[in-house]
Amino acid sequence: MRRLVNDGYEAVEEMLAGYVAAQGKYVDFAENDKRVIVSKQMSEEPRVRIIVGGGSGHEPLFLGYVGKDFADAAVVGNVNTSPSPEPCYNAVKAVDSGKGCLYMYGNYAGDVMNFDMGAEMAADDGIRVETVLVTDDIYSAEKVEDRRGVAGDLIVFKAAASAAAKGLDLDAVKQAAEKANANTYSMGVALSSSTLPVTGKAIFEMNEGEMEVGMGIHGEPGIKRSSIEPADKVVDQIMGYLIEEMKLKSGEEVHVLINGLGGLPVMDQYICYRRVDEILKEKGVHIHHPLVGNYATSMDMIGMSITLVRLDDELKELLDAPCDTPYFKLD
C-alpha cells in the first residue's frame, strides 16, 4: 500500500484530529461527538443551518466545506461508510438556531437510512430537519431519483448555503438545493481503484492500462472497461453523454467542474478542461465559472469527473455568493 497511515482502523480519527488542528480557524469538533465537525464562523443571527456528510475518503468533501456561509456542520463516517444516526442527530443539536436544518448528502442507501433516523430523533426534540439528496451521476440509474451523488455535491451544497446566508426560510433553502440538483449533471472515468487503509488492498481489480468510463467513486460499475485512451477521446465520450442527457443547446450558460478523484495530476485535469472548453465553445455554450481540482475524491483513485450545471440568474447568484472555507472560497 503506497499510503502514509499508522493503524488503518484509526485512520479516520487521526485524519479528523489533524484536520481540526490544522483548520482551527474554521472548525472544531462538536462538544459531544468527534465525528461531527462544526463551523467556528457560523452567523450570530439565527438562520437555517446546513449539515452535510457521508463516508470518509472523499476529502475535501465533506468536512472541507464547513466554514463561513457554507456548511455549518459535517457528519463523518468511516471510509466509504455512512455515519451512524447518533452523530447525524448530534450535528443538529450542535448547530440548530431555531430556524431548522437541512441535511444534504449523496444518494446512498446507508446515508439515507441513518440521516433519516437522525432527523426523526431531532423531530422528537421539536427541531425540523429537511433533506435534499444529490443525484448528479447520470450513468448510475435511469431514474434521476435513484442516481448517486458525486462531485455535484459541491454545487448543491453551495446553492443551499447561499440561500441560507440570505436569511431564507427552510422551505426556500430546500427549494434552492433542489433546483441546483435538478440542473447538475456529472459523469466520471476511473483509471485505477482506490486503496482501503484498513486492508491495504484495492477496493476492486483493475489491470494496468485499463480505464472505465462511468464508474462511481466507490468503484460502482461504469459503461465499459477498455484500454486507456487519449484525454480528448475520453472527454469526448463523457461530454457526449452529458450533453445528450442535458439536451444542452447553443446560447445556454453553464458552470463547469473538472474534479480529480485523488490520484490524477492537476496537469491532466487541465488538459481535460481544455477539451471541455473547446467542445462547449463549438456548441455555442457559454462557460460562466470553471472549477478545476480535487473537490470530491476517492482517496488515491486515479481518475476524474466532469460536472455541468445549467444556469439561470438565480443559480448564478447563489453559486457566486461569497463564502470562506478551507477548501472553497469566493470573495
Side-chain angles (χ1 to χ4, degrees):
M1 178 172 65
R2 291 180 289 184
R3 304 268 310 265
L4 290 175
V5 299
N6 297 307
D7 181 345
Y9 288 97
E10 299 296 325
V12 174
E13 277 71 24
E14 291 184 350
M15 178 268 291
L16 291 173
Y19 185 81
V20 169
Q23 305 296 348
K25 169 187 172 184
Y26 292 96
V27 299
D28 202 350
F29 290 114
E31 184 176 348
N32 62 340
D33 198 324
K34 290 198 171 182
R35 286 304 185 96
V36 178
I37 303 296
V38 296
S39 173
K40 293 169 74 172
Q41 301 192 14
M42 278 187 285
S43 62
E44 292 185 6
E45 77 277 6
R47 64 166 69 158
V48 173
R49 300 303 186 192
I50 303 299
I51 300 172
V52 302
S56 297
H58 307 302
E59 293 76 31
L61 193 72
F62 299 86
L63 74 177
Y65 305 126
V66 176
K68 180 177 173 57
D69 294 337
F70 209 151
D72 297 297
V75 191
V76 182
N78 288 327
V79 174
N80 290 346
T81 304
S82 169
S84 62
E86 186 174 6
C88 298
Y89 165 70
N90 288 339
V92 173
K93 296 293 286 183
V95 303
D96 179 63
S97 61
K99 298 290 186 179
C101 299
L102 183 64
Y103 279 158
M104 287 186 293
Y105 49 89
N107 184 24
Y108 298 92
D111 291 317
V112 172
M113 179 176 67
N114 290 342
F115 274 95
D116 279 355
M117 290 176 67
E120 291 170 5
M121 294 163 72
D124 289 340
D125 289 340
I127 303 173
R128 183 183 170 203
V129 178
E130 294 291 333
T131 298
V132 172
L133 304 178
V134 183
T135 57
D136 59 306
D137 187 346
I138 66 168
Y139 187 70
S140 56
E142 185 173 344
K143 293 182 179 179
V144 173
E145 60 268 25
D146 295 331
R147 291 176 178 174
R148 304 181 291 248
V150 285
D153 283 359
L154 175 70
I155 302 299
V156 181
F157 297 172
K158 179 66 175 73
S162 297
K166 292 172 66 175
L168 302 183
D169 65 19
L170 182 53
D171 289 327
V173 172
K174 181 180 180 181
Q175 186 177 32
E178 289 173 337
K179 179 174 181 175
N181 184 60
N183 286 282
T184 300
Y185 304 79
S186 299
M187 191 171 183
V189 60
L191 284 67
S192 78
S193 173
S194 54
T195 309
L196 284 174
V198 170
T199 65
K201 296 179 180 179
I203 294 175
F204 58 88
E205 293 299 322
M206 180 173 275
N207 295 326
E208 187 77 23
E210 288 186 333
M211 70 173 196
E212 189 161 339
V213 172
M215 179 175 283
I217 59 175
H218 305 111
E220 297 93 341
I223 296 168
K224 65 175 182 178
R225 188 169 293 194
S226 63
S227 297
I228 294 174
E229 297 178 308
D232 284 4
K233 197 166 183 180
V234 174
V235 171
D236 287 353
Q237 289 182 62
I238 294 173
M239 287 293 288
Y241 286 109
L242 290 171
I243 289 169
E244 181 180 1
E245 178 71 20
M246 293 177 72
K247 298 179 173 54
L248 193 61
K249 298 181 177 62
S250 177
E252 292 198 84
E253 191 169 21
V254 296
H255 217 355
V256 177
L257 168 60
I258 302 293
N259 174 62
L261 290 173
L264 188 71
V266 173
M267 174 186 286
D268 302 29
Q269 295 177 36
Y270 278 105
I271 290 171
C272 292
Y273 177 78
R274 161 197 145 274
R275 181 57 183 155
V276 171
D277 183 76
E278 290 175 350
I279 292 169
L280 292 176
K281 283 179 177 174
E282 289 168 4
K283 193 169 180 60
V285 174
H286 176 67
I287 298 174
H288 173 63
H289 186 185
L291 297 170
V292 179
N294 295 337
Y295 293 92
T297 67
S298 185
M299 294 178 288
D300 55 339
M301 182 184 284
I302 302 172
M304 66 89 187
S305 61
I306 302 171
T307 299
L308 301 182
V309 186
R310 174 179 276 115
L311 296 175
D312 62 10
D313 289 342
E314 180 187 12
L315 281 178
K316 278 199 292 186
E317 179 185 353
L318 293 172
L319 296 177
D320 289 348
C323 65
D324 184 15
T325 78
Y327 285 90
F328 196 84
K329 295 177 173 64
L330 288 173
D331 297 322

Short mmCIF file of all heavy atoms in Angstrom, two decimals, residues 180-239:
data_model
loop_
_atom_site.label_atom_id
_atom_site.label_comp_id
_atom_site.label_asym_id
_atom_site.label_seq_id
_atom_site.Cartn_x
_atom_site.Cartn_y
_atom_site.Cartn_z
N ALA A 180 -30.80 23.42 -7.75
CA ALA A 180 -29.41 23.19 -8.15
C ALA A 180 -29.20 21.73 -8.52
O ALA A 180 -28.55 21.41 -9.54
CB ALA A 180 -28.47 23.59 -7.01
N ASN A 181 -29.77 20.82 -7.75
CA ASN A 181 -29.60 19.40 -8.03
C ASN A 181 -30.22 19.02 -9.37
O ASN A 181 -29.65 18.25 -10.15
CB ASN A 181 -30.23 18.56 -6.91
CG ASN A 181 -30.01 17.08 -7.10
OD1 ASN A 181 -28.89 16.62 -7.13
ND2 ASN A 181 -31.10 16.33 -7.23
N ALA A 182 -31.39 19.58 -9.67
CA ALA A 182 -32.09 19.27 -10.92
C ALA A 182 -31.34 19.75 -12.15
O ALA A 182 -31.59 19.27 -13.26
CB ALA A 182 -33.49 19.88 -10.90
N ASN A 183 -30.40 20.68 -11.95
CA ASN A 183 -29.67 21.25 -13.08
C ASN A 183 -28.19 20.87 -13.09
O ASN A 183 -27.40 21.47 -13.80
CB ASN A 183 -29.81 22.77 -13.06
CG ASN A 183 -31.18 23.23 -13.49
OD1 ASN A 183 -31.50 23.25 -14.68
ND2 ASN A 183 -32.03 23.56 -12.52
N THR A 184 -27.82 19.85 -12.30
CA THR A 184 -26.43 19.44 -12.18
C THR A 184 -26.25 18.02 -12.70
O THR A 184 -26.97 17.10 -12.29
CB THR A 184 -25.98 19.53 -10.70
OG1 THR A 184 -26.12 20.88 -10.25
CG2 THR A 184 -24.53 19.11 -10.54
N TYR A 185 -25.28 17.83 -13.58
CA TYR A 185 -25.07 16.57 -14.28
C TYR A 185 -23.59 16.21 -14.25
O TYR A 185 -22.75 17.03 -14.61
CB TYR A 185 -25.51 16.69 -15.74
CG TYR A 185 -26.94 17.14 -15.93
CD1 TYR A 185 -27.29 18.49 -15.81
CD2 TYR A 185 -27.95 16.23 -16.24
CE1 TYR A 185 -28.59 18.92 -15.99
CE2 TYR A 185 -29.27 16.65 -16.44
CZ TYR A 185 -29.58 17.99 -16.31
OH TYR A 185 -30.87 18.41 -16.49
N SER A 186 -23.28 14.98 -13.84
CA SER A 186 -21.88 14.55 -13.73
C SER A 186 -21.67 13.17 -14.32
O SER A 186 -22.59 12.34 -14.36
CB SER A 186 -21.44 14.51 -12.26
OG SER A 186 -21.53 15.76 -11.63
N MET A 187 -20.42 12.94 -14.74
CA MET A 187 -20.01 11.61 -15.19
C MET A 187 -18.49 11.54 -15.10
O MET A 187 -17.80 12.54 -15.33
CB MET A 187 -20.47 11.35 -16.62
CG MET A 187 -20.31 9.92 -17.06
SD MET A 187 -21.11 9.66 -18.66
CE MET A 187 -20.82 7.91 -18.87
N GLY A 188 -17.98 10.36 -14.72
CA GLY A 188 -16.55 10.25 -14.49
C GLY A 188 -15.90 9.09 -15.21
O GLY A 188 -16.56 8.29 -15.89
N VAL A 189 -14.58 8.99 -15.00
CA VAL A 189 -13.79 7.88 -15.53
C VAL A 189 -12.75 7.51 -14.48
O VAL A 189 -12.19 8.38 -13.81
CB VAL A 189 -13.11 8.26 -16.86
CG1 VAL A 189 -12.17 9.46 -16.70
CG2 VAL A 189 -12.35 7.08 -17.46
N ALA A 190 -12.53 6.22 -14.30
CA ALA A 190 -11.52 5.74 -13.37
C ALA A 190 -10.44 4.97 -14.12
O ALA A 190 -10.74 4.20 -15.03
CB ALA A 190 -12.15 4.85 -12.30
N LEU A 191 -9.19 5.21 -13.73
CA LEU A 191 -8.05 4.51 -14.31
C LEU A 191 -7.41 3.56 -13.31
O LEU A 191 -6.46 2.84 -13.64
CB LEU A 191 -7.00 5.50 -14.83
CG LEU A 191 -7.29 6.22 -16.14
CD1 LEU A 191 -8.47 7.18 -16.03
CD2 LEU A 191 -6.06 7.00 -16.61
N SER A 192 -7.90 3.60 -12.07
CA SER A 192 -7.40 2.69 -11.04
C SER A 192 -8.42 2.60 -9.92
O SER A 192 -9.33 3.42 -9.82
CB SER A 192 -6.06 3.19 -10.47
OG SER A 192 -6.27 4.24 -9.54
N SER A 193 -8.22 1.64 -9.04
CA SER A 193 -9.00 1.57 -7.81
C SER A 193 -8.38 2.47 -6.76
O SER A 193 -7.23 2.91 -6.89
CB SER A 193 -9.02 0.13 -7.29
OG SER A 193 -9.63 0.06 -6.02
N SER A 194 -9.14 2.77 -5.72
CA SER A 194 -8.57 3.37 -4.53
C SER A 194 -8.14 2.24 -3.58
O SER A 194 -8.49 1.07 -3.78
CB SER A 194 -9.57 4.29 -3.84
OG SER A 194 -10.77 3.62 -3.59
N THR A 195 -7.36 2.60 -2.54
CA THR A 195 -6.81 1.62 -1.61
C THR A 195 -7.41 1.82 -0.24
O THR A 195 -7.37 2.93 0.30
CB THR A 195 -5.27 1.79 -1.51
OG1 THR A 195 -4.71 1.79 -2.83
CG2 THR A 195 -4.67 0.66 -0.70
N LEU A 196 -7.96 0.77 0.35
CA LEU A 196 -8.54 0.86 1.68
C LEU A 196 -7.44 0.86 2.73
O LEU A 196 -6.59 -0.04 2.75
CB LEU A 196 -9.47 -0.32 1.93
CG LEU A 196 -10.85 -0.27 1.28
CD1 LEU A 196 -11.59 -1.58 1.51
CD2 LEU A 196 -11.67 0.89 1.80
N PRO A 197 -7.43 1.85 3.63
CA PRO A 197 -6.36 1.89 4.64
C PRO A 197 -6.41 0.73 5.62
O PRO A 197 -5.38 0.35 6.16
CB PRO A 197 -6.61 3.23 5.36
CG PRO A 197 -8.00 3.61 5.05
CD PRO A 197 -8.32 3.02 3.72
N VAL A 198 -7.59 0.13 5.85
CA VAL A 198 -7.69 -0.98 6.80
C VAL A 198 -7.04 -2.24 6.25
O VAL A 198 -6.31 -2.95 6.95
CB VAL A 198 -9.17 -1.25 7.16
CG1 VAL A 198 -9.31 -2.55 7.94
CG2 VAL A 198 -9.72 -0.09 7.99
N THR A 199 -7.28 -2.53 4.97
CA THR A 199 -6.76 -3.77 4.37
C THR A 199 -5.46 -3.56 3.62
O THR A 199 -4.70 -4.51 3.42
CB THR A 199 -7.79 -4.36 3.39
OG1 THR A 199 -7.97 -3.45 2.29
CG2 THR A 199 -9.12 -4.60 4.08
N GLY A 200 -5.21 -2.33 3.19
CA GLY A 200 -4.05 -2.07 2.36
C GLY A 200 -4.20 -2.58 0.94
O GLY A 200 -3.24 -2.61 0.18
N LYS A 201 -5.43 -2.95 0.58
CA LYS A 201 -5.67 -3.53 -0.74
C LYS A 201 -6.64 -2.67 -1.54
O LYS A 201 -7.38 -1.86 -0.99
CB LYS A 201 -6.24 -4.95 -0.60
CG LYS A 201 -5.27 -5.92 0.07
CD LYS A 201 -5.90 -7.30 0.21
CE LYS A 201 -4.93 -8.26 0.88
NZ LYS A 201 -5.53 -9.61 1.05
N ALA A 202 -6.62 -2.87 -2.86
CA ALA A 202 -7.54 -2.16 -3.74
C ALA A 202 -8.98 -2.59 -3.47
O ALA A 202 -9.24 -3.73 -3.09
CB ALA A 202 -7.18 -2.42 -5.20
N ILE A 203 -9.91 -1.65 -3.67
CA ILE A 203 -11.34 -1.95 -3.48
C ILE A 203 -11.83 -2.92 -4.56
O ILE A 203 -12.65 -3.79 -4.31
CB ILE A 203 -12.16 -0.65 -3.51
CG1 ILE A 203 -11.82 0.22 -2.30
CG2 ILE A 203 -13.66 -0.94 -3.53
CD1 ILE A 203 -12.50 1.57 -2.30
N PHE A 204 -11.31 -2.76 -5.78
CA PHE A 204 -11.69 -3.64 -6.89
C PHE A 204 -10.48 -3.83 -7.78
O PHE A 204 -9.49 -3.11 -7.68
CB PHE A 204 -12.87 -3.04 -7.68
CG PHE A 204 -12.58 -1.66 -8.24
CD1 PHE A 204 -11.98 -1.50 -9.48
CD2 PHE A 204 -12.91 -0.53 -7.52
CE1 PHE A 204 -11.71 -0.24 -9.99
CE2 PHE A 204 -12.64 0.74 -8.00
CZ PHE A 204 -12.04 0.88 -9.24
N GLU A 205 -10.57 -4.81 -8.64
CA GLU A 205 -9.45 -5.13 -9.52
C GLU A 205 -9.55 -4.34 -10.83
O GLU A 205 -10.60 -4.26 -11.44
CB GLU A 205 -9.43 -6.63 -9.83
CG GLU A 205 -9.12 -7.52 -8.64
CD GLU A 205 -7.75 -7.23 -8.04
OE1 GLU A 205 -6.80 -6.98 -8.82
OE2 GLU A 205 -7.62 -7.24 -6.80
N MET A 206 -8.44 -3.73 -11.20
CA MET A 206 -8.33 -3.07 -12.49
C MET A 206 -6.90 -3.27 -12.98
O MET A 206 -5.95 -2.94 -12.28
CB MET A 206 -8.67 -1.59 -12.40
CG MET A 206 -8.58 -0.86 -13.74
SD MET A 206 -9.18 0.85 -13.66
CE MET A 206 -10.92 0.59 -13.92
N ASN A 207 -6.76 -3.82 -14.16
CA ASN A 207 -5.44 -4.10 -14.70
C ASN A 207 -4.72 -2.83 -15.11
O ASN A 207 -5.35 -1.83 -15.46
CB ASN A 207 -5.54 -5.05 -15.90
CG ASN A 207 -6.06 -6.42 -15.50
OD1 ASN A 207 -5.79 -6.90 -14.40
ND2 ASN A 207 -6.82 -7.05 -16.39
N GLU A 208 -3.42 -2.86 -15.07
CA GLU A 208 -2.61 -1.75 -15.54
C GLU A 208 -2.98 -1.43 -16.99
O GLU A 208 -3.10 -2.32 -17.82
CB GLU A 208 -1.12 -2.12 -15.46
CG GLU A 208 -0.17 -0.99 -15.76
CD GLU A 208 -0.02 -0.02 -14.61
OE1 GLU A 208 -0.28 -0.40 -13.46
OE2 GLU A 208 0.37 1.14 -14.88
N GLY A 209 -3.20 -0.14 -17.26
CA GLY A 209 -3.51 0.27 -18.62
C GLY A 209 -4.98 0.24 -18.97
O GLY A 209 -5.36 0.49 -20.13
N GLU A 210 -5.85 -0.03 -17.97
CA GLU A 210 -7.29 -0.05 -18.22
C GLU A 210 -7.95 1.22 -17.69
O GLU A 210 -7.42 1.90 -16.82
CB GLU A 210 -7.94 -1.27 -17.55
CG GLU A 210 -7.63 -2.57 -18.19
CD GLU A 210 -8.42 -3.72 -17.57
OE1 GLU A 210 -8.79 -3.63 -16.38
OE2 GLU A 210 -8.65 -4.72 -18.28
N MET A 211 -9.14 1.50 -18.19
CA MET A 211 -9.97 2.58 -17.68
C MET A 211 -11.43 2.15 -17.76
O MET A 211 -11.77 1.22 -18.50
CB MET A 211 -9.78 3.88 -18.47
CG MET A 211 -10.33 3.83 -19.87
SD MET A 211 -10.26 5.43 -20.70
CE MET A 211 -11.40 5.13 -22.08
N GLU A 212 -12.28 2.82 -16.98
CA GLU A 212 -13.71 2.53 -17.03
C GLU A 212 -14.49 3.83 -16.98
O GLU A 212 -14.45 4.54 -15.97
CB GLU A 212 -14.13 1.62 -15.88
CG GLU A 212 -15.56 1.11 -16.03
CD GLU A 212 -15.83 -0.13 -15.19
OE1 GLU A 212 -14.89 -0.83 -14.80
OE2 GLU A 212 -17.03 -0.39 -14.93
N VAL A 213 -15.16 4.15 -18.07
CA VAL A 213 -15.98 5.35 -18.15
C VAL A 213 -17.30 5.10 -17.43
O VAL A 213 -17.93 4.05 -17.61
CB VAL A 213 -16.24 5.75 -19.62
CG1 VAL A 213 -17.25 6.88 -19.71
CG2 VAL A 213 -14.93 6.16 -20.29
N GLY A 214 -17.71 6.05 -16.60
CA GLY A 214 -18.97 5.94 -15.89
C GLY A 214 -18.87 5.29 -14.52
O GLY A 214 -19.87 5.18 -13.80
N MET A 215 -17.67 4.89 -14.11
CA MET A 215 -17.51 4.25 -12.80
C MET A 215 -17.81 5.24 -11.68
O MET A 215 -17.50 6.42 -11.77
CB MET A 215 -16.08 3.71 -12.66
CG MET A 215 -15.81 3.04 -11.32
SD MET A 215 -14.16 2.30 -11.23
CE MET A 215 -14.42 0.81 -12.20
N GLY A 216 -18.40 4.75 -10.59
CA GLY A 216 -18.70 5.58 -9.43
C GLY A 216 -17.50 5.75 -8.53
O GLY A 216 -16.48 5.05 -8.66
N ILE A 217 -17.61 6.65 -7.55
CA ILE A 217 -16.47 6.98 -6.70
C ILE A 217 -16.16 5.89 -5.67
O ILE A 217 -15.13 5.94 -5.01
CB ILE A 217 -16.64 8.34 -5.99
CG1 ILE A 217 -17.89 8.35 -5.12
CG2 ILE A 217 -16.66 9.47 -7.00
CD1 ILE A 217 -18.03 9.63 -4.31
N HIS A 218 -17.04 4.89 -5.54
CA HIS A 218 -16.75 3.74 -4.68
C HIS A 218 -16.40 2.51 -5.51
O HIS A 218 -16.27 1.42 -4.96
CB HIS A 218 -17.95 3.40 -3.79
CG HIS A 218 -18.43 4.54 -2.97
ND1 HIS A 218 -19.65 5.17 -3.20
CD2 HIS A 218 -17.86 5.18 -1.93
CE1 HIS A 218 -19.80 6.14 -2.32
NE2 HIS A 218 -18.73 6.18 -1.55
N GLY A 219 -16.27 2.69 -6.82
CA GLY A 219 -15.99 1.56 -7.69
C GLY A 219 -17.22 0.93 -8.30
O GLY A 219 -17.15 -0.18 -8.85
N GLU A 220 -18.36 1.63 -8.23
CA GLU A 220 -19.57 1.09 -8.85
C GLU A 220 -19.35 0.97 -10.37
O GLU A 220 -18.70 1.80 -10.98
CB GLU A 220 -20.77 2.02 -8.58
CG GLU A 220 -21.13 2.15 -7.11
CD GLU A 220 -20.46 3.34 -6.43
OE1 GLU A 220 -19.45 3.85 -6.99
OE2 GLU A 220 -20.91 3.76 -5.36
N PRO A 221 -19.91 -0.08 -10.99
CA PRO A 221 -19.65 -0.34 -12.40
C PRO A 221 -20.02 0.82 -13.31
O PRO A 221 -21.01 1.52 -13.08
CB PRO A 221 -20.51 -1.57 -12.70
CG PRO A 221 -20.73 -2.22 -11.38
CD PRO A 221 -20.77 -1.10 -10.38
N GLY A 222 -19.24 0.99 -14.38
CA GLY A 222 -19.50 2.02 -15.37
C GLY A 222 -20.06 1.44 -16.65
O GLY A 222 -20.69 0.38 -16.65
N ILE A 223 -19.80 2.14 -17.75
CA ILE A 223 -20.35 1.74 -19.04
C ILE A 223 -19.58 0.57 -19.64
O ILE A 223 -20.15 -0.43 -20.05
CB ILE A 223 -20.33 2.94 -20.01
CG1 ILE A 223 -21.25 4.05 -19.49
CG2 ILE A 223 -20.74 2.53 -21.42
CD1 ILE A 223 -21.07 5.36 -20.21
N LYS A 224 -18.27 0.75 -19.69
CA LYS A 224 -17.43 -0.32 -20.26
C LYS A 224 -16.00 -0.13 -19.77
O LYS A 224 -15.58 0.97 -19.41
CB LYS A 224 -17.46 -0.28 -21.79
CG LYS A 224 -16.85 0.97 -22.39
CD LYS A 224 -16.80 0.91 -23.92
CE LYS A 224 -16.14 2.18 -24.48
NZ LYS A 224 -16.02 2.14 -25.94
N ARG A 225 -15.26 -1.23 -19.75
CA ARG A 225 -13.85 -1.18 -19.40
C ARG A 225 -13.04 -1.41 -20.67
O ARG A 225 -13.34 -2.30 -21.46
CB ARG A 225 -13.52 -2.25 -18.36
CG ARG A 225 -12.11 -2.13 -17.81
CD ARG A 225 -11.90 -3.02 -16.61
NE ARG A 225 -12.68 -2.60 -15.44
CZ ARG A 225 -12.47 -3.04 -14.22
NH1 ARG A 225 -11.50 -3.92 -13.99
NH2 ARG A 225 -13.21 -2.62 -13.22
N SER A 226 -12.02 -0.57 -20.86
CA SER A 226 -11.22 -0.66 -22.08
C SER A 226 -9.81 -0.19 -21.79
O SER A 226 -9.49 0.23 -20.66
CB SER A 226 -11.84 0.19 -23.19
OG SER A 226 -11.82 1.56 -22.81
N SER A 227 -8.95 -0.24 -22.79
CA SER A 227 -7.60 0.30 -22.64
C SER A 227 -7.68 1.82 -22.51
O SER A 227 -8.59 2.46 -23.06
CB SER A 227 -6.75 -0.06 -23.86
OG SER A 227 -6.60 -1.46 -23.95
N ILE A 228 -6.74 2.39 -21.75
CA ILE A 228 -6.71 3.84 -21.56
C ILE A 228 -6.55 4.53 -22.92
O ILE A 228 -5.71 4.14 -23.73
CB ILE A 228 -5.58 4.25 -20.62
CG1 ILE A 228 -5.85 3.71 -19.21
CG2 ILE A 228 -5.43 5.77 -20.56
CD1 ILE A 228 -4.72 3.94 -18.23
N GLU A 229 -7.38 5.54 -23.14
CA GLU A 229 -7.37 6.29 -24.40
C GLU A 229 -6.84 7.70 -24.15
O GLU A 229 -6.78 8.16 -23.00
CB GLU A 229 -8.78 6.33 -24.98
CG GLU A 229 -9.29 4.95 -25.35
CD GLU A 229 -10.72 4.98 -25.89
OE1 GLU A 229 -11.59 5.57 -25.21
OE2 GLU A 229 -10.95 4.43 -26.97
N PRO A 230 -6.49 8.45 -25.20
CA PRO A 230 -6.04 9.83 -25.02
C PRO A 230 -7.10 10.69 -24.34
O PRO A 230 -8.31 10.42 -24.45
CB PRO A 230 -5.77 10.31 -26.45
CG PRO A 230 -5.52 9.06 -27.23
CD PRO A 230 -6.39 8.02 -26.61
N ALA A 231 -6.66 11.74 -23.66
CA ALA A 231 -7.56 12.59 -22.88
C ALA A 231 -8.72 13.11 -23.71
O ALA A 231 -9.88 13.09 -23.26
CB ALA A 231 -6.78 13.74 -22.26
N ASP A 232 -8.44 13.61 -24.91
CA ASP A 232 -9.52 14.19 -25.72
C ASP A 232 -10.60 13.17 -26.04
O ASP A 232 -11.81 13.49 -26.02
CB ASP A 232 -8.96 14.77 -27.03
CG ASP A 232 -8.24 16.09 -26.83
OD1 ASP A 232 -8.11 16.53 -25.67
OD2 ASP A 232 -7.80 16.69 -27.83
N LYS A 233 -10.18 11.96 -26.31
CA LYS A 233 -11.16 10.92 -26.65
C LYS A 233 -12.02 10.57 -25.45
O LYS A 233 -13.24 10.36 -25.57
CB LYS A 233 -10.42 9.67 -27.17
CG LYS A 233 -11.32 8.70 -27.92
CD LYS A 233 -10.50 7.69 -28.68
CE LYS A 233 -11.40 6.76 -29.49
NZ LYS A 233 -10.61 5.75 -30.24
N VAL A 234 -11.42 10.53 -24.27
CA VAL A 234 -12.17 10.25 -23.04
C VAL A 234 -13.16 11.38 -22.77
O VAL A 234 -14.34 11.14 -22.48
CB VAL A 234 -11.21 10.07 -21.85
CG1 VAL A 234 -12.00 9.93 -20.55
CG2 VAL A 234 -10.32 8.84 -22.05
N VAL A 235 -12.69 12.63 -22.86
CA VAL A 235 -13.56 13.78 -22.62
C VAL A 235 -14.70 13.80 -23.64
O VAL A 235 -15.85 14.10 -23.28
CB VAL A 235 -12.76 15.09 -22.65
CG1 VAL A 235 -13.69 16.30 -22.62
CG2 VAL A 235 -11.80 15.14 -21.46
N ASP A 236 -14.40 13.50 -24.89
CA ASP A 236 -15.45 13.48 -25.91
C ASP A 236 -16.56 12.50 -25.55
O ASP A 236 -17.75 12.80 -25.73
CB ASP A 236 -14.86 13.11 -27.27
CG ASP A 236 -14.03 14.22 -27.89
OD1 ASP A 236 -14.03 15.34 -27.33
OD2 ASP A 236 -13.38 13.98 -28.92
N GLN A 237 -16.18 11.33 -25.04
CA GLN A 237 -17.18 10.34 -24.65
C GLN A 237 -18.06 10.87 -23.52
O GLN A 237 -19.29 10.83 -23.59
CB GLN A 237 -16.50 9.05 -24.17
CG GLN A 237 -15.84 8.23 -25.24
CD GLN A 237 -15.25 6.94 -24.66
OE1 GLN A 237 -15.98 6.11 -24.13
NE2 GLN A 237 -13.95 6.79 -24.77
N ILE A 238 -17.42 11.37 -22.47
CA ILE A 238 -18.17 11.84 -21.31
C ILE A 238 -19.05 13.02 -21.69
O ILE A 238 -20.24 13.08 -21.31
CB ILE A 238 -17.21 12.22 -20.17
CG1 ILE A 238 -16.48 10.97 -19.67
CG2 ILE A 238 -17.96 12.90 -19.03
CD1 ILE A 238 -15.38 11.26 -18.66
N MET A 239 -18.51 13.97 -22.43
CA MET A 239 -19.28 15.15 -22.81
C MET A 239 -20.44 14.77 -23.72
O MET A 239 -21.52 15.39 -23.66
CB MET A 239 -18.38 16.17 -23.49
CG MET A 239 -17.43 16.87 -22.54
SD MET A 239 -18.30 17.94 -21.36
CE MET A 239 -18.81 19.28 -22.45
#
